């Protein structure tokens, strides 16, 4: 069933001219502008791709864009799917499987996240080195998962060391501050309480957000090397917690976005 659906999605994209991209890129909230860097873009709106989940959140444009950046063929997801929109784990990771079928051999992910590590500030970027899944489930918990890869996927190194190292060097060379740390994923959409922020710190998170981890789990299932960056949009200090304003989160993500675009662009160039 899943295989058939993926094949239909694939056939649609191929018929539109999506031709064996090397790199797949998922753009998070307020981070959609990388698509402006794409040469000869071909767009496929999510609601026109057979079996794709439909985009619901108003600030997500919801399209796949194929083309080249730095002469490399890329496919970019402008807008992703979240559990908090009412989708399930299979829905939100479906696009990762489609991009894999298209032929990508590397995956870049971005997201907006709250800073749990208080040495990190609003507008900082953080390379995700490891994660904690607090979403209460797995995108690999389905009956015929073994038709798509191993069931008991190793997660000892979910993020590709080589690409992480490259990205750190790129940041340094361009004078861009790039922190690193552990990303905890929650379901949302409510933000966290002070007690929850305290807990997240205690369990070892440096940042918290509502995405990414399911996609990373599926990408590991598909043996796709991943690099992921969080843009830190708010400071989660339980002792001085300010009410979070979602439009401020988006504004901070948008302000930081040019630096993230630069990092991704340079990494594409070097691969
Ligand atoms: N918590 C969860 N998700 C988020 C946050 C946060 O503080 N900031 C941006 N995404």
């Amino acid at each position: 069933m899943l295989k058939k659906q993926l094949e239909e999605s694939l056939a649609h994209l191929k018929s539109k001219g999506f031709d064996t991209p090397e790199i797949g890129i998922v753009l998070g909230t307020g981070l959609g502008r990388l698509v402006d860097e794409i040469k000869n873009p071909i767009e496929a709106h999510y609601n026109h791709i057979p079996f794709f989940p439909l985009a619901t959140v108003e600030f997500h444009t919801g399209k796949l864009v194929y083309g080249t950046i730095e002469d490399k063929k890329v496919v970019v997801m402008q807008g992703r799917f979240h559990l908090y929109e009412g989708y399930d784990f299979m829905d939100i990771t479906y696009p990762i499987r489609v991009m894999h079928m298209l032929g990508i051999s590397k995956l870049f992910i971005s997201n907006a996240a709250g800073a749990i590590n208080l040495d990190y500030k609003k507008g900082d970027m953080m390379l995700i080195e490891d994660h904690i899944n607090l979403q209460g489930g797995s995108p690999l918990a389905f009956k015929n998962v073994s038709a798509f890869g191993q069931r008991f996927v190793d997660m000892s190194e979910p993020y590709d060391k080589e690409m992480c190292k490259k990205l750190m060097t790129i940041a340094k060379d361009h004078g861009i501050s790039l922190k690193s740390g552990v990303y905890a994923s929650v379901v949302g959409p409510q933000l966290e309480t002070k007690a929850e922020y305290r807990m997240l710190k205690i369990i070892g998170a440096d940042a918290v957000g509502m995405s990414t981890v399911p996609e990373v789990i599926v990408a590991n299932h598909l043996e796709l090397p991943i690099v992921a960056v969080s843009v830190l949009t708010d400071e989660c200090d339980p002792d001085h917690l300010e009410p979070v304003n979602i439009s401020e989160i988006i504004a901070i993500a948008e302000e930081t976005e040019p630096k993230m675009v630069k990092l991704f662009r340079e990494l594409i160039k070097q691969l």
Side-chain angles (χ1 to χ4, degrees), residues 114-128:
I116 298 293
N117 181 335
L118 298 178
D119 293 334
Y120 298 175
K121 303 294 171 206
K122 272 187 216 188
D124 276 346
M125 289 185 294
M126 187 189 93
L127 177 68
I128 301 179

Side-chain angles (χ1 to χ4, degrees), residues 4-32:
K4 273 228 136 53
Q5 294 180 345
L6 286 165
E7 274 158 13
E8 265 195 58
S9 301
L10 183 69
H12 175 82
L13 294 169
K14 291 235 170 203
S15 75
K16 290 200 65 143
F18 283 56
D19 175 30
T20 55
E22 278 176 66
I23 301 164
I25 305 174
V26 183
L27 298 177
T29 304
L31 300 167

Side-chain angles (χ1 to χ4, degrees), residues 237-252:
D237 180 353
D239 298 322
H240 307 91
L241 193 60
E242 313 250 331
V244 179
N245 171 341
I246 190 71
S247 39
E248 196 196 341
I249 285 183
I250 296 167
I252 302 265

Side-chain angles (χ1 to χ4, degrees), residues 112-114 186 191-192 197 208-210 233-234 236 249:
V186 294
L191 279 295
E192 288 68 36
Y197 284 136
V208 59
M210 303 172 191
T233 53
D234 52 299
C236 309
I249 285 183

